[in-house]
Amino acid sequence: DQLVKWAGGTKGISKAISITQSDFTAECQAMKSDGADVIFVGAEGSSPIRFARNCKAIGYQPVFAVAGLAINQSTAQDPGLRANTTWLGTQVAPFGMSDTPGGKEFHAAVDRFGGGQAIDATTIQGWAAGKLLEAALAKVAAEARSGPITTALILKGLNLLKNETLGGLIKPNSFSPT
């Protein structure tokens, strides 16, 4: 509800779905009848594909909002889902993005060390977590080199980060002691 208000929208109907559900036509029809412009699909990656296909079959192509972790490379390439505008909810840059310094570095590392493995949102989230640790330790480099790396030292480094974006991997973040 808060996200809808923040985005300036109004909340419509909600429908419970199952990831084992093979057809979402009834849900699409209900959303279409309710006038929904955006549908949030809170499920794993193949459900948004089926949702888009079933909605299109009744002449309804809303914007889909999907948790970024639900989308992998094959889901992202699905022509039915790509025909719709699809928003990914994620705390880090989308895994396919390579137009920032952080995205370029991520993709260069994947190309060099990935061995052809598929990447997805969890891959870039893990990378961003490592880059955040690296940025925090860089702020306390002298202490990190001369003694043990402790939770307190990592927190000290994090607290020194101001408007950190990790080269465009995350929105600007500043940390403060709790």
Side-chain angles (χ1 to χ4, degrees):
D1 291 351
Q2 290 298 329
L3 286 176
V4 173
K5 289 178 188 173
W6 175 79
T10 55
K11 184 178 178 198
I13 62 172
S14 294
K15 293 288 194 178
I17 63 169
S18 168
I19 63 172
T20 60
Q21 195 170 332
S22 62
D23 190 275
F24 296 108
T25 303
E27 289 80 4
C28 291
Q29 186 60 58
M31 301 289 177
K32 181 180 180 180
S33 296
D34 193 50
D37 296 319
V38 179
I39 297 177
F40 175 74
V41 181
E44 69 7 295
S46 66
S47 291
I49 291 172
R50 293 191 308 278
F51 231 111
R53 180 178 51 235
N54 297 149
C55 287
K56 184 177 181 181
I58 62 166
Y60 177 48
Q61 286 190 267
V63 170
F64 285 97
V66 180
L69 288 174
I71 303 296
N72 60 33
Q73 282 185 331
S74 63
T75 304
Q77 297 305 315
D78 179 77
L81 192 57
R82 290 181 68 86
N84 293 68
T85 298
T86 304
W87 295 332
L88 299 179
T90 179
Q91 295 298 314
V92 300
F95 63 87
M97 189 189 81
S98 60
D99 61 349
T100 65
K104 287 177 185 169
E105 184 182 15
F106 168 70
H107 283 280
V110 167
D111 290 346
R112 183 171 178 199
F113 301 109
Q117 294 294 314
I119 60 171
D120 59 18
T122 58
T123 314
I124 198 164
Q125 284 187 341
W127 177 265
K131 295 305 286 183
L132 183 60
L133 177 61
E134 178 183 58
L137 289 175
K139 291 290 186 180
V140 292
E143 291 176 73
R145 286 187 184 99
S146 65
I149 296 175
T150 64
T151 301
L153 184 61
I154 294 168
L155 290 173
K156 181 179 177 180
L158 286 171
N159 292 334
L160 294 171
L161 296 175
K162 303 297 178 221
N163 294 313
E164 180 61 54
T165 67
L166 304 175
L169 291 176
I170 61 173
K171 66 179 182 66
N173 274 278
S174 297
F175 297 85
S176 61
T178 55

